[in-house]
C-alpha cells in the first residue's frame, strides 16, 4: 500500500508522459524518509496560462513557474489521513526546462512534484544551507528511480 494517496488532475491541455508508478515510488520514498506513514496529496498539472494566473493570484507574481505549493494539513474525517496539500505543476515549463537540461518532460515533472512535496513535509530552500540540504535529498530520492540531476534549477 502506498504511503501517499495521490490524486493527479490534468488541466494542462497536454498529455505528458511522466510514469505514474515511478512518481509514486519517489514520493513514497520521501514520505518514508520523513517518517510519515500515510497522507494524501493532490497534483494539478497546468499549462503556462493557468500557472501564471495562479502564481499572480496566490504569490503576487504573474509569471509562469514550475511548481507552486499550497499547504493544507487537514484530516479526512472518514479515513483519518492528513491531506498535506496541493501542488500546481506546469507542464509547459517542464517541457522547456527538461529540453534545456537534456532531461525528459517526465523527469522534470517528477522533480517538480518531489520538490513541492518536500516543501510540504518541512524542507525549505530560503537559505543556501537549507537549499543544499533540499537538493541533496532530491538527488538521493530521484536516483532511486533512475533520475540523475547534476544541477538545481529554481
Amino acid at each position: 500500500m502506498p504511503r501517499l494517496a495521490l490524486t493527479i488532475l490534468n488541466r494542462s491541455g497536454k498529455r505528458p508522459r511522466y510514469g505514474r508508478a515511478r512518481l509514486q515510488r519517489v514520493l513514497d520514498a520521501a514520505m518514508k524518509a520523513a517518517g510519515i506513514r500515510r497522507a494524501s496529496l493532490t497534483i494539478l498539472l497546468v499549462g503556462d496560462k493557468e500557472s501564471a494566473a495562479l502564481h499572480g493570484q496566490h504569490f503576487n507574481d504573474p509569471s509562469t513557474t514550475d511548481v507552486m505549493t499550497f499547504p493544507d494539513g487537514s484530516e479526512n474525517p472518514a479515513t483519518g489521513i492528513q491531506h498535506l496539500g496541493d501542488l500546481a505543476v506546469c507542464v509547459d515549463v517542464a517541457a522547456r526546462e527538461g529540453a534545456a537540461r537534456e532531461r525528459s518532460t517526465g523527469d522534470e515533472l517528477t522533480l517538480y512534484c518531489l520538490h513541492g512535496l518536500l516543501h510540504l513535509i518541512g524542507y525549505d530552500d530560503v537559505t543556501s544551507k537549507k537549499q543544499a540540504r533540499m537538493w541533496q535529498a532530491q538527488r538521493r530520492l530521484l536516483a532511486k528511480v533512475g533520475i540523475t540531476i547534476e544541477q538545481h534549477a529554481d
Side-chain angles (χ1 to χ4, degrees):
M1 173 187 284
R3 288 177 179 265
L4 189 63
L6 189 57
T7 302
I8 301 175
L9 307 170
N10 186 358
R11 292 199 319 222
S12 70
K14 311 259 183 337
R15 296 183 63 134
R17 302 181 108 185
Y18 54 85
R20 185 183 173 108
R22 183 176 69 158
L23 176 61
Q24 183 77 55
R25 282 194 313 272
V26 76
L27 297 180
D28 280 347
M31 298 275 292
K32 182 177 181 180
I36 301 171
R37 292 185 56 162
R38 291 279 296 147
S40 65
L41 174 70
T42 301
I43 298 172
L44 178 63
L45 300 177
V46 297
D48 279 332
K49 188 174 181 178
E50 188 169 5
S51 174
L54 289 168
H55 203 208
Q57 179 182 358
H58 296 282
F59 299 95
N60 202 30
D61 179 350
S63 64
T64 191
T65 190
D66 50 5
V67 59
M68 289 169 274
T69 305
F70 301 94
D72 186 323
S74 65
E75 189 174 290
N76 181 324
T79 63
I81 295 174
Q82 179 188 28
H83 184 67
L84 295 175
D86 306 320
L87 305 178
V89 180
C90 188
V91 173
D92 295 324
V93 170
R96 286 191 301 273
E97 293 298 319
R101 295 185 178 109
E102 299 180 348
R103 287 196 289 263
S104 71
T105 299
D107 286 359
E108 200 72 10
L109 285 171
T110 300
L111 166 62
Y112 298 168
C113 292
L114 175 60
H115 187 84
L117 174 65
L118 289 175
H119 275 299
L120 291 173
I121 62 175
Y123 283 79
D124 208 340
D125 52 7
V126 295
T127 67
S128 58
K129 185 175 181 178
K130 289 180 179 183
Q131 184 181 58
R133 178 179 172 260
M134 187 172 195
W135 280 91
Q136 180 182 26
Q138 287 177 160
R139 280 191 293 276
R140 179 179 44 77
L141 291 162
L142 290 169
K144 291 178 184 240
V145 295
I147 299 173
T148 303
I149 56 171
E150 299 300 328
Q151 72 225 18
H152 69 80
D154 290 339

